[in-house]
């Protein structure tokens, strides 16, 4: 391995609320950036690989819509995937945050890992197929449907 | 609409359920004309796969006509007669671009995470699976929603009948894949365990690819007569002969070059924990025999439906004979157009496999016949 790009690119981006400014880093090492701050047990990065270059995954540095829902609650990084497989997109809960913004705190609940996983999978589907695949709705989800 | 619903262990009933709806721009809705039973349904029917809920609709092998298309569907129009690949795949991810459609990263709704926890990575979708394993209702119904319609649905050439083309949904691509994973070519001796639809179509694919001898092993004489009559392969009934000895003799003492297991866990009575996704272990008897029989350096292909663990797998024989073991759920999108062409040219005939053609209302009877292999049943095929 060890064929990752050496360069470090920092992008200042405007988040969904147009107020947050984040650094999106393409790291020079294989491991994701180490945690900053004092949290002794940083949350694990969750990663998906998406078709397309980082610029397409984060156009203009803008987060894909499914991740924007977690704005303020997670940090996001990308790097090129080896073997021409596109882009590795990673997210994890912000470490050491004393308080999450209201909606984000509500969203990440008591298992932020699952929500992040789901948001990453949705971001991947959106980037690769143009939409997020939805399950059939069951009878219970469809009040008023026949039967 | 009416649909064949799972009601509990070994209990099925036709019920009124909501019509499917377009949920994504690449979806279309198909009015089902034929929907076939499959061995992969039996662990579900028997309650051996968790997550299935009362009211879930079974069935994943189907053919019908398009009645509604989403705004992003390009290849199909209303009234097209299509066969739909049982595997749901996006056509765009890295795996789809490698032709590994059953491994599609985007083939299940994102909430369906059970395959990832069971097998380490999320696998492609399939119709008629419980929501945590996909999120798409089954085809034993009047209508089905088809996601990624341009990728998974194929227009059926006019000369190919419904009863033939419905097997292009799953059994024929699975069989072709068995021969392809074994890299079957001219001069090969191929042995196939299981004379169900998949076993017969594996054998037929091996014949079409030029194998010198193709031998199919089963215990049911009616199925083995089909092997002789419709497949052009040699039947072997394991109730009457010593299979390993017979295979050695028929392959000049070398053993078959390619051994395909097309039996799966449904052939074995479950143990206390048998057959469960991630639960207890199943006994892969046919697979053990295939490994034992295979020639040194040969290939063993696993096509039967396995979901959990197996006991006493003969790894020593695999290693010391230098075998290659390959397996997959079918990547049908790769082969269905070619298979439909072969069906149109009469190279691939499958009507004889639909031994029981029944209205959807008799779905429960159809599964009873299929499960017990009663009355010579190979596949029950429903017409809603
Ligand atoms: Zn099937
Ligand atoms: Zn895909």
């Amino acid at each position: 391995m060890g064929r990752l790009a050496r360069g470090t690119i920092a992008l200042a981006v405007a988040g969904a609320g147009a107020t947050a400014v984040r650094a999106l880093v393409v790291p020079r090492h294989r491991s994701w950036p180490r945690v900053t701050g004092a949290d002794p047990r940083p949350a694990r990065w969750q990663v998906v690989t998406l078709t397309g270059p980082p610029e397409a995954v984060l156009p203009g540095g803008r987060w894909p819509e499914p991740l924007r829902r977690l704005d303020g609650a997670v940090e996001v990084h990308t790097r090129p995937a080896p073997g021409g497989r596109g882009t590795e997109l990673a997210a994890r809960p912000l470490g050491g945050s004393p308080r999450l913004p209201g909606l984000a705190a509500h969203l990440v609940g008591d298992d932020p890992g699952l929500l992040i996983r789901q948001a990453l999978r949705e971001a991947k589907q959106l980037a690769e197929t143009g939409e997020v695949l939805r399950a059939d709705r069951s009878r219970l989800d469809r009040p008023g449907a026949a039967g | 609409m009416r649909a064949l619903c799972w009601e509990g262990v070994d209990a099925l009933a036709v019920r009124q359920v909501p019509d499917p709806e377009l949920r994504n721009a690449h979806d279309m809705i198909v009015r089902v004309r034929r929907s076939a039973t499959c061995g992969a349904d039996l662990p579900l029917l028997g309650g051996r796969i968790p997550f299935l809920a009362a009211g879930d609709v079974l069935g994943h092998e189907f053919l019908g006509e398009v009645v509604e298309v989403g705004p992003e569907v390009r290849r199909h129009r209303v009234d097209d007669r299509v066969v739909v690949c049982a595997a749901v795949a996006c056509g765009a991810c890295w795996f789809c671009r490698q032709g590994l459609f059953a491994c599609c990263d985007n083939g299940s709704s994102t909430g369906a995470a059970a395959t990832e926890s069971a097998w380490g990575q999320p696998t492609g979708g399939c119709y008629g699976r419980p929501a945590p394993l996909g999120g798409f209702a089954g085809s034993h119904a009047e209508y089905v929603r088809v996601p990624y319609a341009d990728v998974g649905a194929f227009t059926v050439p006019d000369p190919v009948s419904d009863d033939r083309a419905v097997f292009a949904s799953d059994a024929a691509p699975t069989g072709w894949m068995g021969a392809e994973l074994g890299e079957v070519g001219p001069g090969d001796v191929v042995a196939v365990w299981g004379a169900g639809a998949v076993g017969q179509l594996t054998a037929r694919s091996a014949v079409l690819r030029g194998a010198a001898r193709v031998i199919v092993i089963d215990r049911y004489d009616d199925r083995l007569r089909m092997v002789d009559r419709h497949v052009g392969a040699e039947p072997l009934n394991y109730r009457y002969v010593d299979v390993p000895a017979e295979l050695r003799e028929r392959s000049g003492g070398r053993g078959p070059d390619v051994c395909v297991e097309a039996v799966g866990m449904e052939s074995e009575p479950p143990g206390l924990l048998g057959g469960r996704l991630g639960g207890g272990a199943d006994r892969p008897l046919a697979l053990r025999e295939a490994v034992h029989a295979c020639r040194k350096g040969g290939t063993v292909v696993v096509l039967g439906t396995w979901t959990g663990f197996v006991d006493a797998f003969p790894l020593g024989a695999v290693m010391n004979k230098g075998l290659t073991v390959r397996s997959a759920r079918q990547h049908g999108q790769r082969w269905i157009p070619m298979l439909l062409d072969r069906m149109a040219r009469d190279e691939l005939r499958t009507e004889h496999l639909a031994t029981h053609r029944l209205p959807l209302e008799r779905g429960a009877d159809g599964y009873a016949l299929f499960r017990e292999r009663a009355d010579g049943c190979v596949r029950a095929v429903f017409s809603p």
Side-chain angles (χ1 to χ4, degrees):
Chain A
M1 299 300 186
R3 283 182 287 144
L4 287 179
R6 300 258 165 141
T8 298
I9 306 163
L11 298 170
V13 298
T19 49
V21 175
R22 304 178 204 92
L24 291 169
V25 178
V26 177
R28 78 182 83 202
H29 305 296
R30 270 201 70 76
S31 57
W32 298 104
R34 288 177 186 284
V35 67
T36 52
D39 190 337
R41 295 195 308 142
R44 187 176 290 281
W45 286 101
Q46 301 214 45
V47 197
V48 291
T49 300
L50 298 75
T51 300
E55 312 85 76
V57 173
L58 300 173
R62 194 171 158 81
W63 287 14
E65 193 280 325
L67 282 169
R68 270 181 252 154
R69 294 199 305 266
L70 302 179
D71 184 23
V74 298
E75 54 185 321
V76 170
H77 288 270
T78 61
R79 67 183 177 193
R85 275 177 287 196
T87 301
E88 296 174 5
L89 172 66
R92 70 170 175 187
L94 282 170
S97 252
R99 273 197 313 275
L100 300 176
L103 178 61
H106 174 71
L107 284 172
V108 299
D110 50 7
D111 193 352
L114 278 181
L115 265 165
I116 292 172
R117 189 96 204 120
Q118 170 115 2
L120 286 171
R121 288 189 69 190
E122 289 182 7
K124 174 180 164 67
Q125 288 197 346
L126 199 57
E128 292 182 337
T129 73
E131 50 186 347
V132 176
L133 186 60
R134 300 158 80 196
D136 285 350
R137 290 200 299 172
S138 75
R139 186 192 313 242
L140 295 174
D141 300 327
R142 299 166 67 178
Chain B
M1 67 168 180
R2 292 168 302 117
L4 184 65
C5 299
W6 189 75
E7 303 240 295
V9 173
D10 293 333
L12 292 167
V14 173
R15 299 282 182 224
Q16 198 70 26
V17 303
D19 285 354
E21 49 185 356
L22 297 176
R23 296 276 285 151
N24 284 93
H26 296 98
D27 288 357
M28 66 186 189
I29 307 290
V30 167
R31 186 205 319 271
V32 178
R33 288 161 64 124
R34 297 287 186 280
S35 184
T37 54
C38 173
D41 299 330
L42 296 179
L44 289 163
L45 181 60
R48 296 166 69 189
I49 307 286
F51 313 121
L52 201 64
D56 282 352
V57 180
L58 292 181
H60 56 268
E61 308 188 6
F62 64 105
L63 168 144
E65 60 215 7
V66 178
V67 294
E68 195 180 353
V69 294
E72 293 293 326
V73 175
R74 299 281 175 265
R75 285 181 45 212
H76 298 291
R77 294 182 199 173
V78 169
D79 289 339
D80 278 3
R81 186 170 64 118
V82 294
V83 63
V84 178
C85 184
V88 177
C90 76
C93 71
W94 185 84
F95 294 94
C96 286
R97 286 183 287 121
Q98 311 303 307
L100 303 172
F101 291 92
C103 301
C104 175
D105 266 342
N106 303 313
S108 298
S109 67
T110 52
T115 62
E116 185 167 9
S117 45
W119 301 318
Q121 273 89 34
T123 61
C126 181
Y127 299 91
R129 293 283 178 273
L133 291 171
F136 312 115
S139 59
H140 297 331
E142 290 181 86
Y143 299 94
V144 185
R145 167 190 170 215
V146 176
Y148 303 126
D150 282 339
V151 181
F154 299 87
T155 301
V156 179
D158 278 340
V160 183
S161 70
D162 289 355
D163 288 324
R164 182 175 293 188
V166 68
F167 290 98
S169 178
D170 197 14
T174 303
W176 186 270
M177 182 181 72
E180 182 156 318
L181 290 179
E183 296 174 21
V184 172
D188 281 342
V189 178
V190 179
V192 179
W193 278 256
V198 169
Q200 289 192 38
L201 290 167
T202 304
R204 183 64 192 158
S205 300
V207 169
L208 290 172
R209 293 169 64 104
R213 292 190 88 155
V214 181
I215 302 149
V216 181
I217 301 132
D218 204 299
R219 60 185 300 227
Y220 294 97
D221 284 323
D222 43 9
R223 293 182 173 206
L224 290 170
R225 274 193 294 275
M226 290 180 174
V227 167
D228 184 36
R229 188 175 311 152
H230 299 287
V231 177
E234 304 170 33
L236 203 59
N237 191 320
Y238 68 76
R239 287 189 299 168
Y240 312 137
V241 299
D242 176 345
V243 170
E246 192 75 22
L247 289 176
R248 261 197 308 278
E249 191 179 319
R250 294 193 194 190
S251 60
R254 303 180 300 275
D257 302 288
V258 179
C259 291
V260 182
E261 180 270 339
V263 174
M265 70 183 189
E266 79 274 10
S267 67
E268 297 299 324
L272 275 178
L273 294 168
R276 286 192 176 278
L277 185 73
D282 293 289
R283 294 176 299 158
L285 299 183
L287 182 57
R288 280 183 215 161
E289 196 167 75
V291 167
H292 187 76
C294 193
R295 78 146 161 85
K296 290 177 284 183
T299 300
V300 174
V301 180
V302 183
L303 291 185
T305 302
W306 301 95
T307 57
F309 298 83
V310 298
D311 247 355
F313 179 75
L315 190 56
V318 170
M319 182 179 193
N320 288 287
K321 294 202 293 179
L323 301 183
T324 299
V325 179
R326 302 188 71 179
S327 185
R329 276 163 40 199
Q330 54 103 354
H331 311 296
Q333 287 84 347
R334 203 159 126 190
W335 302 300
I336 288 173
M338 173 272 292
L339 293 167
L340 289 170
D341 281 350
R342 289 184 186 270
M343 286 177 169
R345 293 200 301 268
D346 271 348
E347 290 176 13
L348 200 57
R349 299 196 193 103
T350 52
E351 294 88 338
H352 66 282
L353 300 168
T355 49
H356 294 73
R357 292 166 204 179
L358 301 169
L360 184 64
E361 273 62 29
R362 292 198 53 207
D365 298 340
Y367 269 98
L369 286 163
F370 175 59
R371 188 183 52 211
E372 306 305 328
R373 293 165 165 78
D375 190 32
C377 186
V378 177
R379 289 290 182 97
V381 177
F382 307 128
S383 305

